[in-house]
Amino acid sequence: MNTGAIIAIYRFEMARWFRTIAQSILTPVLSTSLYFIVFGSAIGSRIEAIDGVPYGAFIVPGLTMLSVLTESVSNASFGIYMPRFSGTIYEVLSAPISSLDMVLGYVGAAATKSFILGLIIMTTARLFVPYSIEHPLWMIVFLLLTCVSFSLLGFSIGLWADGWEKMQIVPALIVTPLAFLGGSFYSIQMLPEPFRTLTLFNPVVYLMSGFRYSFYGQGDLGPTLSLALLAAFGGACLALVLWLLETGYRIRQ
Amino acid sequence: MSRVPILSLASVEKVYKTGHHALKGVSLEVHQGELFALLGPNGAGKTTLIGIVTGLVKKTSGTVLVSGIDIDRDPARARAHVGLVPQELSTDMFETVWDTLCFSRGLFGKPKNPEKLEEILRDLSLYDKKNAKIMTLSGGMKRRVLIAKALCHEPSLLFLDEPTAGVDVELRRDMWKVVDRLRRGGMTIVLTTHYIEEAEQMADRVGVIHGGQIVLVEETSTLMKKLGQKKLFVELEEPLLALPEALASAGVELAAGGLKLIYTYDAKAEKAPLEPILRALDEAKVTLKDLQTKQSSLEEIFLNLLKGTNQS
Ligand SMILES: Nc1ncnc2c1ncn2[C@@H]1O[C@H](COP(=O)(O)OP(=O)(O)O)[C@@H](O)[C@H]1O
Ligand SMILES: [Mg+2]
């Protein structure tokens, strides 16, 4: 393992983020604030509490996950797509770096960014609605695992895409719909059949449910099942990424 | 003097996914401390060859050893010896020169060494730009930054892919100086070019690559001598029994039972090299039937090379 290289890539990616730090932080703070003004205060005051949790508080974990999911995917995919696109990837490919080193550097940085983002959003939300976190450890574990596994997914998109359209297509057509329909704004118990059953095939549902459990001690499904599925999803993404790198798919001719 | 090959390729083949056969059984050795020029027109396979050694391109078959290390068996250890300056000017624009060098060194897992990086920057006349953002530099400087990046992990073999392509005359001279200084510092350098003069000016040895094949490998001085060679064929109406003294001493040979004279000469070295021969023929009062000059086959290769260059 080339630790120096992992650190170099990680630093480089973080520096890229810090160069636009104001934008990186202000954008999510602003959009979260807007969500809470509209859904939390304006509309939320007319919606009854779900399982005893006021609607404003109910959407905190969902909104956090929604942003973390999309940011993980976009951060990690751009992190590797840009050097491929500009040609600077040659330097990484010609250095004594294993596939795993590359993943640790790039995905590590992307996951760190979205983890920080998640914390920022939860902090901002606290300004609008009072909430407490019942199981902080579960919360950290879920947040971290989500950051890592969706960054891995994003990384594989960035490795696979050979044009800007493809970079947009997976997030727009798959990730965003799944995230929105994953129960970020509602409990799946509120859905009529057959949608309630169909929803169970959406992996994001388990994630949202698990994350919400860590906040309020209750969720649509058990936290252990959520955790197991999330871990399996992360493992599958890691395998996909390593396979793409090892076969040199679209990066080594 | 026994010289160690720092790079050795044996029967390397490359067929791209498109089906294009870019390298056809390339075998080559580069010795420690030499400057080897890989000369060939666009599309000959130069970049492909470099890509295979540096890990950017997967070869289809064959063996590549860097400092005796098989790149298939221990790619990481083999790559640690190699520095690469790519053909395309691709650098991160928003970073400073210094940061990008630290990144490059870091990628090779080497501990920090600011003195070394400073030395490299000074050698490339970039020291006063160390805190400048790369996007603010001129094209010539950007290229030197790429060289600096390739050097900062202290490689023993440096690849320069077309360091002077699309560069004006002044920058080209500048680049030659930089390369010359590196070579005198003991660096083994493989550079690619499609300019014959460039290979002639700089290289210890030249390898000519064409259509994915190494056509020849030669010491530069030998190659240049061969390149200049031409042959004059003179056909006579009536056979000559013996060569007149003036022709014999100039090195003219008699062939075809006295019906043909052959004269090999260096078209580059002398001015009007045929002048004395023609005069001697005139004085010998022989009747000429036909006159013909021919280039060595090597020259023909190069003419083709040049044609390829001009088309692009
Ligand atoms: N990624 C690729 N896929 C398919 N063909 C390629 C690829 N890269 C290069 N080639 C082809 O291989 C040949 C050799 O290319 P290259 O090594 O770049 O030549 P040179 O560097 O000598 O100009 C060219 O005909 C080129 O079109
Ligand atoms: Mg080339």
Side-chain angles (χ1 to χ4, degrees):
Chain A
M1 185 178 281
N2 183 345
T3 333
I6 299 171
I7 295 171
I9 294 173
Y10 185 87
R11 280 229 186 101
F12 177 88
E13 285 296 295
M14 292 310 284
R16 198 163 62 81
W17 192 58
F18 280 115
R19 269 198 293 267
T20 53
I21 185 79
Q23 188 196 336
S24 314
I25 290 180
L26 275 180
T27 315
V29 168
L30 184 69
S31 60
T32 317
S33 306
L34 290 174
Y35 270 113
F36 279 104
I37 291 168
V38 175
F39 290 103
S41 309
I43 299 175
S45 57
R46 295 175 183 227
I47 297 178
E48 50 189 287
I50 300 171
D51 299 330
V53 181
Y55 189 68
F58 178 84
I59 62 173
V60 173
L63 264 181
T64 309
M65 272 295 160
L66 198 60
S67 302
V68 166
L69 274 184
T70 38
E71 279 299 307
S72 294
V73 171
S74 98
N75 251 321
S77 60
F78 275 90
I80 187 68
Y81 182 76
M82 285 206 318
R84 276 181 62 213
F85 183 74
S86 71
T88 54
I89 191 74
Y90 84 86
E91 215 185 352
V92 176
L93 296 179
S94 62
I97 299 174
S98 70
S99 302
L100 190 61
D101 295 339
M102 250 176 106
V103 173
L104 287 172
Y106 281 107
V107 175
T112 307
K113 292 176 212 174
S114 36
F115 188 77
I116 296 173
L117 176 82
L119 297 182
I120 291 174
I121 292 175
M122 291 186 325
T123 314
T124 313
R126 195 70 182 72
L127 303 175
F128 292 88
V129 282
Y131 69 86
S132 56
I133 298 167
E134 221 161 281
H135 307 289
L137 207 62
W138 273 110
M139 190 279 281
I140 299 282
V141 169
F142 269 113
L143 187 59
L144 209 58
L145 209 52
T146 305
C147 292
V148 171
S149 50
F150 281 82
S151 293
L152 282 166
L153 177 66
F155 193 73
S156 61
I157 294 170
L159 279 175
W160 159 81
D162 53 4
W164 290 103
E165 311 77 42
K166 285 195 182 165
M167 284 288 286
Q168 314 288 355
I169 226 164
V170 179
L173 293 187
I174 300 175
V175 179
T176 310
L178 285 185
F180 263 93
L181 301 175
S184 28
F185 299 108
Y186 55 87
S187 160
I188 56 168
Q189 315 298 344
M190 294 158 77
L191 287 177
E193 285 294 358
F195 296 109
R196 196 195 291 181
T197 309
L198 274 179
T199 290
L200 295 179
F201 292 97
N202 178 357
V204 180
V205 164
Y206 299 88
L207 216 152
M208 293 286 184
S209 155
F211 197 51
R212 192 168 286 131
Y213 163 84
S214 71
F215 276 66
Y216 305 122
Q218 59 197 34
D220 294 328
L221 309 143
T224 342
L225 175 65
S226 297
L227 190 66
L229 283 172
L230 187 54
F233 173 67
C237 288
L238 178 63
L240 174 65
V241 162
L242 288 178
W243 178 77
L244 286 172
L245 285 174
E246 283 300 312
T247 54
Y249 185 80
R250 285 203 180 137
I251 61 171
R252 288 201 165 93
Q253 273 118 22
Chain B
M1 191 174 72
S2 84
R3 292 199 286 182
V4 198
I6 191 166
L7 171 67
S8 114
L9 285 84
S11 320
V12 173
E13 300 270 341
K14 175 61 191 177
V15 181
Y16 279 109
K17 277 188 204 120
T18 55
H20 187 86
H21 202 159
L23 291 181
K24 299 169 184 160
V26 168
S27 296
L28 188 66
E29 278 193 352
V30 174
H31 308 300
Q32 189 90 49
E34 77 173 335
L35 197 161
F36 187 92
L38 200 54
L39 177 62
N42 283 321
K46 306 182 291 296
T47 302
T48 303
L49 192 155
I50 291 181
I52 286 173
V53 179
T54 52
L56 303 181
V57 177
K58 298 184 138 196
K59 62 182 162 52
T60 308
S61 63
T63 317
V64 177
L65 305 179
V66 177
S67 279
I69 305 159
D70 190 326
I71 63 162
D72 291 332
R73 249 186 243 146
D74 199 344
R77 213 155 61 84
R79 279 181 216 159
H81 290 276
V82 181
L84 166 65
V85 182
Q87 185 171 355
E88 311 292 337
L89 270 181
S90 39
T91 51
D92 283 290
M93 292 295 156
F94 301 102
E95 276 200 301
T96 65
V97 171
W98 186 258
D99 286 347
T100 199
L101 292 198
C102 292
F103 175 68
S104 301
R105 189 175 166 90
L107 283 182
F108 281 77
K110 289 245 173 178
K112 283 207 172 81
N113 186 348
E115 292 80 26
K116 182 74 205 170
L117 298 193
E118 282 183 16
E119 182 192 318
I120 291 170
L121 284 179
R122 277 187 217 284
D123 282 350
L124 292 165
S125 319
L126 280 173
Y127 190 71
D128 54 331
K129 295 286 176 193
K130 80 182 229 199
N131 293 318
K133 285 208 170 129
I134 296 172
M135 62 181 168
T136 65
L137 303 181
S138 69
M141 280 184 181
K142 281 193 191 119
R143 208 170 277 272
R144 275 186 275 141
V145 170
L146 285 180
I147 297 180
K149 278 164 80 72
L151 291 174
C152 57
H153 67 277
E154 301 164 65
S156 44
L157 170 62
L158 181 67
F159 284 100
L160 292 165
D161 199 356
E162 310 240 4
T164 62
V167 148
D168 66 31
V169 179
E170 199 175 330
L171 276 180
R172 186 177 304 173
R173 293 243 170 77
D174 207 44
M175 190 54 65
W176 287 1
K177 272 190 215 142
V178 167
V179 173
D180 196 49
R181 200 166 328 126
L182 286 173
R183 188 244 303 261
R184 272 188 271 138
M187 179 71 68
T188 310
I189 300 172
V190 175
L191 68 78
T192 71
T193 179
H194 51 242
Y195 300 115
I196 298 175
E197 318 86 75
E198 187 158 290
E200 181 177 8
Q201 278 273 328
M202 309 218 284
D204 299 310
R205 286 195 308 148
V206 177
V208 179
I209 182 167
H210 192 50
Q213 284 173 312
I214 299 280
V215 186
L216 81 131
V217 176
E218 202 75 78
E219 300 272 335
T220 311
S221 51
T222 320
L223 178 64
M224 289 308 145
K225 228 178 268 161
K226 281 192 187 169
L227 260 183
Q229 274 186 5
K230 282 184 113 176
K231 276 181 162 47
L232 168 72
F233 297 92
V234 181
E235 279 182 51
L236 306 176
E237 283 293 355
E238 284 160 25
L240 259 183
L241 298 178
L243 268 179
E245 177 53 29
L247 290 174
S249 63
V252 176
E253 292 159 50
L254 208 51
L259 273 173
K260 208 171 194 176
L261 300 176
I262 303 174
Y263 176 53
T264 310
Y265 63 100
D266 187 344
K268 275 184 159 180
E270 303 151 46
K271 263 191 180 169
L274 293 183
E275 210 27 62
I277 304 299
L278 294 178
R279 206 175 308 126
L281 282 173
D282 191 39
E283 277 162 16
K285 300 245 184 300
V286 291
T287 325
L288 309 187
K289 188 178 173 191
D290 195 12
L291 246 170
Q292 205 181 4
T293 67
K294 259 197 189 155
Q295 272 149 345
S296 61
S297 56
L298 211 55
E299 188 87 12
E300 273 161 34
I301 296 169
F302 273 92
L303 280 180
N304 286 335
L305 284 184
L306 281 176
K307 246 191 266 160
T309 310
N310 291 340
Q311 275 162 6
S312 61

